[in-house]
Amino acid sequence: MTASPEPVSLDTAAPAPAPLEKTPLEAYVAPDKPSLVGFSRAALKEALIGIGVPPAQTKMRVQQIWHWIYVRGAQNFDVMTTMSKDLRVELDRHFTLARPEVVAEQVSSDGTRKWLLRLPGDGTAGNPHEVECVYIPETDRGTLCVSSQVGCTLTCSFCHTGTQRLVRNLTAGEIVGQILVARDRLGEWPGGTPPTDGIVPTDGGRFISNIVMMGMGEPLYNFEAVRDALLVAADGEGIGISKRRITLSTSGVVPNIVRAGDEIGVMLAVSLHAVRDSVRDELVPLNKKYPIAQLMEACRNYPGLNNARRITFEYVMLKGVNDSLADAKALVKLVKGIPAKINLIPFNPWPGTRYECSDWEQIEKFSEYVFAAGYSSPVRTPRGRDISAACGQLKSETERLTARERMALRAMAMTE
Ligand code: SAH
Ligand code: SF4
């Protein structure tokens, strides 16, 4: 994969394709042997043809490899015993099944788990490329919060990720790799040993039943990789997480919203956070480019939107900034006519922030108003606070660690 500094359009047939807004895959260093994790079926087929697999066999081989990677959790080719030894050796000569490296693992008393993951590339000034991935178990589901970028080019004033200097897009493999790492660590492969501590989903279902693209980064500024990764995650013969259980959260990259609906088809969450442009300009500076009216228009036109597939509007509760009853009223007015849920998020403070979380009574009043107006308005309960696993805090703790502390964490992770 090469860096592509220019905006690239995927539309080949359209007469005047809208340019795809994206962050370049800056500073990505492809490993000598690529990992097959995250390859689409078509790319996998190409790869097999490239190493001399007869074209007539590729369909079956793709099917087998797909099953080994995404159903059985294979970490090397040797275990793929449904294929000849010769082919396994050949695959191993050219490819790996590598996932991002786990540098640290933290487990909260409530069962929330956070992994710090190292990606290829040494970054600038010795800053390694690292992202975080968080697993949040509830009794009826297990949600994996996945990152799409190292850092974020956007600079939302209440978000810690926005203060990070280093930015690069993740590849599709690095995004899918986070799901595989989580399954590795949760023992969620046939024959694995799942955890028994903290909250464990008990509906007889899976440990990872839901995915939210709410980790570090703006997924719609890394559209192609996020799309390709989510299509792999939703593939019914592999990881098999239904698109209705996958949510992509965006700060409002308007031109890419319709494409997300058309080409990915997952649930959409929109980080609204304010009802007036003057306030949203301050909180989510992308609003200056795509103001509220344009954003709401894009939401109304989100492909596949209906009462069973609602848009979630995220709204971070900031004391004295956006949390008045007048704001709640304006919010209800704004989303009128859109099949919507409103998700109120208590602000997670980080060192140096100028914001405070709204008082609990204020959050309740706000929530009651929105609820009475007919909208489901859950307040997102903070989870894993003891390990800073909440939104906007990802990676902030580990960034402050010294090299020695990092080594210690790493050693700890390896002995678990
Ligand atoms: N970039 C995307 C997805 C990642 S952020 C987006 O902005 O939507 C996931 C959610 O966490 C967003 O709604 C974001 O606004 C919110 N968030 C960021 N920092 C936060 C903080 N400190 N406290 C609470 N929510 C925060
Ligand atoms: Fe980026 Fe989302 Fe944070 Fe804004 S809230 S800086 S878009 S990660």
Side-chain angles (χ1 to χ4, degrees):
M1 203 160 308
T2 50
S4 42
E6 295 300 320
V8 176
S9 170
L10 292 175
D11 294 333
T12 44
L20 183 64
E21 296 204 14
K22 61 184 278 186
T23 308
L25 190 65
E26 164 195 299
Y28 172 69
V29 184
D32 295 341
K33 275 209 264 181
S35 171
L36 293 181
V37 169
F39 274 43
S40 65
R41 285 171 191 270
L44 206 47
K45 185 174 168 190
E46 285 299 305
L48 293 181
I49 290 173
I51 64 165
V53 173
Q57 276 185 23
T58 51
K59 192 165 176 225
M60 176 179 68
R61 298 297 177 215
V62 166
Q63 203 66 16
Q64 288 171 319
I65 295 172
W66 196 268
H67 182 84
W68 279 108
I69 301 177
Y70 298 116
V71 178
R72 307 288 288 271
Q75 300 202 24
N76 60 62
F77 296 105
D78 209 36
V79 298
M80 298 187 175
T81 46
T82 48
M83 294 185 298
S84 73
K85 180 86 188 157
D86 287 353
L87 178 54
R88 285 182 271 153
V89 169
E90 200 53 18
L91 284 166
D92 186 57
R93 266 188 357 110
H94 297 277
F95 304 108
T96 70
L97 296 173
R99 304 86 154 88
E101 179 195 353
V102 178
V103 187
E105 174 179 69
Q106 284 178 285
V107 183
S108 158
S109 50
D110 67 13
T112 300
R113 286 167 152 74
K114 182 170 81 167
W115 298 283
L116 176 66
L117 304 173
R118 168 96 30 98
L119 309 171
D122 57 2
T124 48
N127 256 327
H129 291 181
E130 288 171 348
V131 290
E132 286 190 347
C133 176
V134 177
Y135 173 66
I136 306 153
E138 292 169 81
T139 45
D140 63 340
R141 70 181 65 185
T143 305
L144 191 69
C145 179
V146 172
S147 293
S148 57
Q149 301 182 309
V150 176
C152 185
T153 44
L154 302 177
T155 50
C156 302
S157 52
F158 59 92
C159 173
H160 191 264
T161 306
T163 66
Q164 277 173 228
R165 210 166 27 95
L166 183 69
V167 177
R168 90 154 161 84
N169 276 339
L170 267 56
T171 64
E174 290 167 340
I175 297 169
V176 174
Q178 293 172 64
I179 307 171
L180 300 192
V181 163
R183 281 196 151 181
D184 294 343
R185 306 300 285 205
L186 291 165
E188 200 185 17
W189 298 117
T193 320
T196 50
D197 51 339
I199 300 170
V200 174
T202 51
D203 66 346
R206 310 162 53 155
F207 276 79
I208 301 172
S209 59
N210 294 56
I211 292 177
V212 292
M213 295 300 304
M214 292 187 188
M216 295 164 63
E218 168 48 57
L220 290 190
Y221 271 131
N222 186 12
F223 183 83
E224 292 136 308
V226 167
R227 174 196 58 201
D228 295 352
L230 293 183
L231 293 180
V232 170
D235 188 293
E237 291 173 348
I239 299 172
I241 297 182
S242 122
K243 289 184 181 180
R244 302 196 44 171
R245 288 175 169 264
I246 301 178
T247 302
L248 185 154
S249 173
T250 180
S251 56
V253 187
V254 164
N256 296 356
I257 287 181
V258 71
R259 295 196 47 176
D262 280 338
E263 296 174 39
I264 316 178
V266 293
M267 307 298 281
L268 184 69
V270 171
S271 296
L272 188 57
H273 304 320
V275 290
R276 281 191 309 278
D277 282 325
S278 57
V279 181
R280 196 165 189 269
D281 282 352
E282 182 68 26
L283 299 178
V284 184
L286 185 64
N287 194 67
K288 293 180 197 147
K289 193 166 180 190
Y290 302 118
I292 294 177
Q294 279 186 34
L295 177 58
M296 299 315 281
E297 187 57 19
C299 291
R300 277 175 219 283
N301 296 329
Y302 188 63
L305 187 62
N306 59 44
N307 277 333
R309 292 182 76 232
R310 292 163 187 263
I311 292 181
T312 300
F313 288 95
E314 295 161 282
Y315 198 94
V316 64
M317 299 299 293
L318 300 169
K319 190 173 186 166
V321 176
N322 63 356
D323 63 349
S324 70
L325 267 191
D327 288 310
K329 283 182 192 163
L331 176 59
V332 166
K333 245 180 150 171
L334 204 55
V335 300
K336 196 161 189 266
I338 304 179
K341 283 187 270 192
I342 292 168
N343 200 342
L344 303 178
I345 316 174
F347 171 61
N348 283 302
W350 37 273
T353 178
R354 60 186 135 122
Y355 298 107
E356 275 178 79
C357 183
S358 307
D359 295 330
W360 195 249
E361 303 85 77
Q362 193 58 28
I363 298 180
E364 277 190 337
K365 271 193 216 154
F366 198 105
S367 159
E368 273 160 23
Y369 183 87
V370 171
F371 183 74
Y375 293 94
S376 147
S377 58
V379 179
R380 202 188 284 165
T381 341
R383 293 289 306 277
R385 277 230 159 147
D386 51 336
I387 58 168
S388 303
C391 303
Q393 289 188 330
L394 297 189
K395 204 161 163 288
S396 51
E397 285 295 318
T398 32
E399 273 189 337
R400 288 197 295 273
L401 296 181
T402 62
R404 180 189 294 242
E405 286 165 330
R406 275 170 187 280
M407 295 270 287
L409 270 175
R410 193 169 174 172
M412 209 178 78
M414 289 171 51
T415 51
E416 282 194 26

